[in-house]
Amino acid sequence: MHNLIVNYDIRAQVIGWPPVRSYRKNVIEKCKYVKVAVDGAPYLRKVDLEMYDSYQKLLNALENMFTCLTICNSQSESKLMDLTNGVEYVPTYEDKDGDWMLVGDVPWKMFVDTCKRIRLMKSTEAIGLAPRTPGGSSSSS
């Protein structure tokens, strides 16, 4: 019976280990990590949306993250293009309601608050998504 009490005390000490200092908790709380997937790629990446303050900076980061992709601007919207095989990708995101939307449709802060994950979708598959609203992609507030 004495062994049972000792084992219980050890388990009670292990919970919450290692301790996280309060300044590290504050840093973690200010981050907004979301997964980024590219159609056809066998791996995912994570990006912290709080590090950026506009859609263009996010697209630049995605271009650097996936070195095979290049930003192409056409008809007032930005797309990522894989120049080696000619595939065009449209940045989309899943919001809190589970709906897939085009990146740039809402003001930046709303995007950061509602984005659950990002998917670089082949443009041939993104046809059914709602069209962009005028001026939505240029808003950074």
Side-chain angles (χ1 to χ4, degrees):
M1 184 163 205
H2 180 54
N3 288 340
L4 193 66
I5 293 172
V6 171
N7 288 339
Y8 175 75
D9 290 341
I10 291 172
R11 273 189 259 136
Q13 291 175 353
V14 172
I15 296 172
W17 185 260
V20 177
R21 301 207 189 287
S22 62
Y23 72 89
R24 291 195 70 195
K25 283 182 185 177
N26 291 338
V27 169
I28 292 171
E29 288 174 3
K30 293 178 183 173
C31 296
K32 172 73 188 244
Y33 284 101
V34 295
K35 290 181 182 178
V36 180
V38 178
D39 283 359
Y43 54 86
L44 300 172
R45 296 278 193 246
K46 279 188 179 178
V47 65
D48 179 9
L49 296 177
E50 291 291 337
M51 290 183 61
Y52 311 104
D53 59 5
S54 69
Y55 287 112
Q56 189 60 47
K57 290 181 182 176
L58 175 62
L59 284 175
N60 290 339
L62 294 175
E63 180 183 34
N64 291 332
M65 189 179 296
F66 300 100
T67 56
C68 62
L69 301 178
T70 304
I71 297 175
C72 297
N73 293 317
S74 64
Q75 300 174 0
S76 75
E77 59 184 22
S78 296
K79 298 179 180 183
L80 293 162
M81 184 106 178
D82 185 346
L83 297 176
T84 58
N85 60 15
V87 176
E88 192 175 77
Y89 295 93
V90 177
T92 61
Y93 72 99
E94 183 181 13
D95 66 5
K96 288 181 179 179
D97 298 328
D99 297 326
W100 284 95
M101 310 283 287
L102 293 173
V103 168
D105 280 348
V106 296
W108 175 254
K109 289 295 182 191
M110 184 183 292
F111 166 74
V112 172
D113 291 340
T114 61
C115 180
K116 286 177 31 181
R117 59 182 158 167
I118 297 173
R119 176 180 168 199
L120 300 178
M121 185 182 294
K122 291 181 181 176
S123 58
T124 55
E125 295 180 22
I127 293 172
L129 296 178
R132 294 183 186 275
T133 56
S137 61
S138 63
S139 177
S140 62
S141 59

